[in-house]
Amino acid sequence: MAASYYGPPTALGLFLYDQDGYYSLPVDMRERLKAFVPEPESVQLSTSETLPESIDENRLTVRHTERDAMVDLSVLLRLMDQGKIQVSEKTSLPGAATLRLLTESLAGGDFYAHKPPQDQWDQESGPIKAFSWPLLLQAAGLVQRNGSKLALSAAGRKALASSPASVLSAIWNKWLKSSLFDEFSRVDVIKGQKSKGRVMTPLAPRRTAITEMLRLCPIGAWINVDDISRFMQATGRTFDVTHDPWKLYVIDPQYGALGHNGYHGWNILQLRYLLCFLFEYAAALGIVDVAYIEATGARADFCRIWGTDDLAFLSRYDGLIYFRVTPLGAYCLGLNDDYTAAPIQPNAKLSVLPSLQINVVGGNLSAEELLTLGTWAVEATDKSWRLDRQKAVEAVERGHDIDDLRVFLKSREDQPLPETVESFMKIIQQQGRALKISGTRLLIDCQNAEIATLIARHKELAGLCQLVGNRQLIVRLENEGKFRALIHTLGFGMPA
């Protein structure tokens, strides 16, 4: 027995053979071995209460996603309402400008910081949350596309005033049934996914298999992604990604075709889909918390495939190591009937002064406590913060509740909050919602006053536009398509 790619040989290799990347026991040996080999214990899903600080000397980043998802939802809905989100008219995917805007706007930023490629061969993880959110909102019907811009639908406007948890649950369940986008296409190293014929499998069975697996996971317990991958295979909870692996390839459709022996195993196709499902969609919606390292060098299981010598990773999700189902996830998965956001556990004692200054007088602020304070206050020193009116107003604009700050401070301060601080929060609560965006509108310049008046008085157009001055019209953004179609019947055009 010669040494293989996987390491030195063992005696077990005498009983197994490699078939399409899986090790199998010959059929004629199985019955003989059953006679004297004890039946194995039932497969158990391993969980962990704590996480290591690093994986193979790579720092493990932990992201708690529940609160981020609720803030991100509010931010996305308001950006949509302001007409700031654009997608491709052909693919419905966000472009570079939208991805930059969302990366800057999302709570805590995206999972990976932007690192410009050093050369043409350098791989970049790129946006993950920023990419999935516009797709999720489209799949859920909360937005509609007007040309390349996304605008809130009637359901989206209703969502602005609804419970974030209920909206996130609705988005999740509608996305599971959507065929808007095949998330495996984000594993863009693997080519040929849009070849002629039946190449990729339907989305619903894949998503259903993983969702049913998530329902079996203990809430709040960390699970290694490789463990759940093995558990799914061992218990028959499997799915297919492609009908024909020969149509898929890396670099070259002949030499790098995934139909070759060992090129299309579960770890190459199904595991990468599982990683994408969890990291880009479940984590974005707060269904699971995630713990991850850089994708570069995280997994070397693809190195046997022809043409992968220069690849740092097979997918941008290769760095995902652990996940855990959150209480919000349990609610969205239908495991719990209701959801109440858990308070942030106090890790430090605070002293809140009448001057609006907040001092840390005991312990150290956790990362989540730092994030909360940073939402409402500016940092003076590593032990001192000051409530800031502009930051607080911006927080209320983004959908934060000032009562969360009140609860946060009271749970860490032994004395009643000063009257000046209570007054500050009351004012912010009022002024942060002093103005309301009732919708986004187009301001249209007509060639002359006669055209503007003709359109404004037309029996079908009168309800879609409003005359401003002599030759300007205002049209709600969501009515642009209908307005444009009707002016065409009058013989007028409006270039984009």
Side-chain angles (χ1 to χ4, degrees):
M1 292 182 293
S4 70
Y5 173 83
Y6 292 106
T10 67
L12 186 61
L14 293 170
F15 297 90
L16 304 173
Y17 66 96
D18 188 352
Q19 182 179 31
D20 295 332
Y22 297 91
Y23 284 106
S24 300
L25 187 70
V27 176
D28 58 344
M29 292 185 62
R30 296 176 189 175
E31 292 303 320
R32 297 182 184 182
L33 291 175
K34 281 183 180 180
F36 59 88
V37 176
E39 183 176 345
E41 296 180 3
S42 60
V43 182
Q44 301 294 324
L45 182 60
S46 301
T47 61
S48 302
E49 295 300 322
T50 59
L51 296 177
E53 292 185 1
S54 61
I55 303 290
D56 296 330
E57 298 184 357
N58 295 304
R59 185 176 68 86
L60 193 67
T61 300
V62 179
R63 289 288 289 267
H64 304 286
T65 63
E66 285 183 293
R67 283 185 175 81
D68 284 359
M70 293 184 186
V71 173
D72 290 344
L73 173 64
S74 175
V75 169
L76 262 293
L77 291 177
R78 296 185 187 284
L79 287 175
M80 299 288 181
D81 197 34
Q82 295 167 23
K84 293 184 178 181
I85 304 300
Q86 291 185 302
V87 296
S88 166
E89 293 186 52
K90 182 178 180 181
T91 66
S92 298
L93 302 181
T98 291
L99 291 173
R100 283 195 299 270
L101 172 63
L102 292 182
T103 299
E104 295 169 358
S105 304
L106 294 174
D110 216 317
F111 293 123
Y112 291 113
H114 174 61
K115 294 180 180 179
Q118 301 300 311
D119 55 53
Q120 60 176 333
W121 303 108
D122 193 20
Q123 288 180 275
E124 182 192 2
S125 297
I128 294 180
K129 281 203 303 179
F131 182 89
S132 63
W133 264 111
L135 292 170
L136 289 165
L137 294 180
Q138 290 179 80
L142 299 184
V143 296
Q144 58 193 21
R145 197 176 70 229
N146 294 324
S148 63
K149 287 187 177 181
L150 293 181
L152 289 182
S153 64
R157 295 194 179 281
K158 184 178 179 181
L160 281 170
S162 301
S163 158
S166 64
V167 176
L168 290 169
S169 178
I171 294 173
W172 169 256
N173 286 289
K174 288 183 179 179
W175 172 76
L176 290 175
K177 301 173 184 176
S178 167
S179 59
L180 176 67
F181 177 72
D182 185 345
E183 48 271 22
F184 190 80
S185 65
R186 289 276 282 162
V187 187
D188 44 23
V189 165
I190 296 179
K191 311 298 183 183
Q193 298 183 41
K194 295 185 178 180
S195 300
K196 291 183 179 179
R198 295 173 73 241
V199 180
M200 309 305 290
T201 59
L203 294 168
R206 302 185 219 160
R207 293 172 179 168
T208 298
I210 299 174
T211 302
E212 290 178 352
M213 188 66 248
L214 290 177
R215 290 194 179 104
L216 297 177
C217 296
I219 302 169
W222 289 104
I223 299 172
N224 189 298
V225 176
D226 289 326
D227 285 341
I228 199 171
S229 174
R230 287 189 288 267
F231 187 83
M232 291 182 74
Q233 296 173 78
T235 57
R237 295 177 172 87
T238 57
F239 59 91
D240 291 320
V241 171
T242 179
H243 293 294
D244 185 1
W246 284 104
K247 294 285 184 69
L248 304 178
Y249 64 92
V250 176
I251 304 297
D252 183 88
Q254 179 179 353
Y255 296 106
L258 298 192
H260 290 297
N261 186 33
Y263 283 19
H264 58 274
W266 174 280
N267 62 310
I268 300 299
L269 297 176
Q270 286 91 335
L271 175 59
R272 259 51 185 210
Y273 181 80
L274 172 64
L275 292 169
C276 174
F277 181 100
L278 294 173
F279 212 174
E280 193 158 82
Y281 298 89
L285 291 176
I287 308 295
V288 298
D289 291 332
V290 287
Y292 55 94
I293 60 176
E294 290 290 334
T296 300
R299 297 176 182 273
D301 55 350
F302 61 91
C303 296
R304 293 178 66 189
I305 299 175
W306 187 93
T308 61
D309 294 354
D310 295 325
L311 295 182
F313 50 78
L314 187 65
S315 81
R316 70 189 79 241
Y317 320 104
D318 280 11
L320 179 60
I321 307 297
Y322 295 93
F323 75 94
R324 67 178 177 186
V325 176
T326 65
L328 174 61
Y331 171 70
C332 295
L333 291 165
L335 300 175
N336 291 335
D337 294 332
D338 51 28
Y339 169 77
T340 301
I344 302 173
Q345 293 302 315
N347 201 50
K349 292 297 271 184
L350 302 178
S351 173
V352 184
L353 305 180
S355 62
L356 305 186
Q357 184 168 314
I358 302 169
N359 295 328
V360 180
V361 295
N364 294 302
L365 293 168
S366 66
E368 199 168 6
E369 288 173 318
L370 285 169
L371 183 62
T372 299
L373 268 181
T375 301
W376 307 97
V378 293
E379 187 175 7
T381 69
D382 59 346
K383 294 287 186 180
S384 178
W385 296 71
R386 180 178 174 80
L387 292 173
D388 183 80
R389 177 167 297 188
Q390 182 174 334
K391 291 197 75 171
V393 167
E394 290 173 353
V396 172
E397 279 185 332
R398 296 198 304 270
H400 288 281
D401 191 337
I402 195 73
D403 282 335
D404 292 341
L405 173 63
R406 181 179 285 106
V407 172
F408 177 86
L409 295 177
K410 283 185 174 181
S411 64
R412 291 159 179 81
E413 165 65 277
D414 293 332
Q415 303 297 322
L417 297 182
E419 290 185 9
T420 52
V421 173
E422 290 285 4
S423 176
F424 170 87
M425 290 188 287
K426 184 177 180 180
I427 291 172
I428 294 300
Q429 188 171 32
Q430 295 171 344
Q431 296 186 350
R433 294 185 171 89
L435 307 177
K436 180 181 179 181
I437 298 174
S438 60
T440 305
R441 292 164 172 79
L442 296 170
L443 180 63
I444 300 170
D445 285 318
C446 298
Q447 197 172 61
N448 53 54
E450 288 74 17
I451 293 176
T453 302
L454 174 65
I455 293 173
R457 292 179 178 176
H458 186 273
K459 62 179 181 179
E460 293 185 74
L461 284 163
L464 298 176
C465 64
Q466 180 180 348
L467 184 64
V468 179
N470 294 323
R471 63 182 189 87
Q472 288 185 319
L473 300 171
I474 291 179
V475 177
R476 290 180 69 94
L477 192 60
E478 61 266 30
N479 292 333
E480 179 187 354
K482 189 175 181 181
F483 176 84
R484 189 183 292 273
L486 286 172
I487 62 171
H488 289 168
T489 65
L490 297 180
F492 299 122
M494 184 176 69

